[in-house]
Amino acid sequence: KNEVEQSPQNLTAQEGEFITINCSYSVGISALHWLQQHPGGGIVSLFMLSSGKKKHGRLIATINIQEKHSSLHITASHPRDSAVYICAVRFLNKFYFGSGTKLNVKP
Amino acid sequence: GAGVSQTPSNKVTEKGKYVELRCDPISGHTALYWYRQSLGQGPEFLIYFQGTGAADDSGLPNDRFFAVRPEGSVSTLKIQRTERGDSAVYLCASSLALNTEAFFGQGTRLTVV
């Protein structure tokens, strides 16, 4: 069993839909990162969370430490949101990565 | 630059050759991490530096892999006698300290033919 599990693995949505990607983890946690990876491999850090909720534009990330669960929400999705979204849990000096959720937003 | 820079962005090498991958972290960041991502998988940990020293190198797959950070800033990941299975995207990240936000480079795509 992986230390970090993401769901769904693949997600296809129509432009404008509300999207949720889930992440559950079994390791200890210092912080949780949501990352975005576009074709070509480049990674962008979207959020770092250790509690509660953060919002940036159309993106919202929440974390429940007791339940060891985090969600990434995208409101009013757009084709340019198409990417792989990766949940990464940081514990001390290590990151534990989920296998990613491949999102395709169709116009 | 303001972000983590990795060079080269792409590297194609023949099986058995030696390669070096470079990571320039954000200035002042003491923590530096190397990860690699094989096709279709999430990144896996290789090594973590705190300053000049490798605080945790438990993720290096074998003794063909070695990484240095002699002055506590730029790091080089070195792979000897490359094998086709080494083909992956090698990612570098840095953070100001252990529990602060980490910033990722764009990665180096290594292809061993």
Side-chain angles (χ1 to χ4, degrees), chain A residues 8-47:
Chain A
Q9 288 187 313
N10 290 280
L11 181 58
T12 299
Q14 287 298 130
E15 184 173 356
E17 286 186 3
F18 180 85
I19 287 163
T20 296
I21 300 171
N22 294 300
C23 174
S24 297
Y25 56 92
S26 57
V27 292
I29 185 169
S30 304
L32 183 145
H33 291 252
W34 279 102
L35 309 172
Q36 182 190 55
Q37 186 172 35
H38 281 282
I43 281 186
V44 174
S45 180
L46 298 174
F47 294 103

Side-chain angles (χ1 to χ4, degrees), chain B residues 43-94:
Chain B
E44 57 176 346
F45 172 76
L46 293 176
I47 188 169
Y48 157 69
F49 285 91
Q50 182 60 45
T52 60
D56 184 347
D57 63 358
S58 61
L60 295 177
N62 51 60
D63 62 5
R64 296 187 297 105
F65 287 74
F66 189 69
V68 296
R69 196 186 185 198
E71 297 178 358
S73 55
V74 172
S75 176
T76 305
L77 178 66
K78 308 181 181 193
I79 310 174
Q80 297 177 320
R81 304 183 303 280
T82 51
E83 299 177 357
R84 292 195 178 87
D86 299 334
S87 297
V89 175
Y90 288 81
L91 295 165
C92 176
S94 72

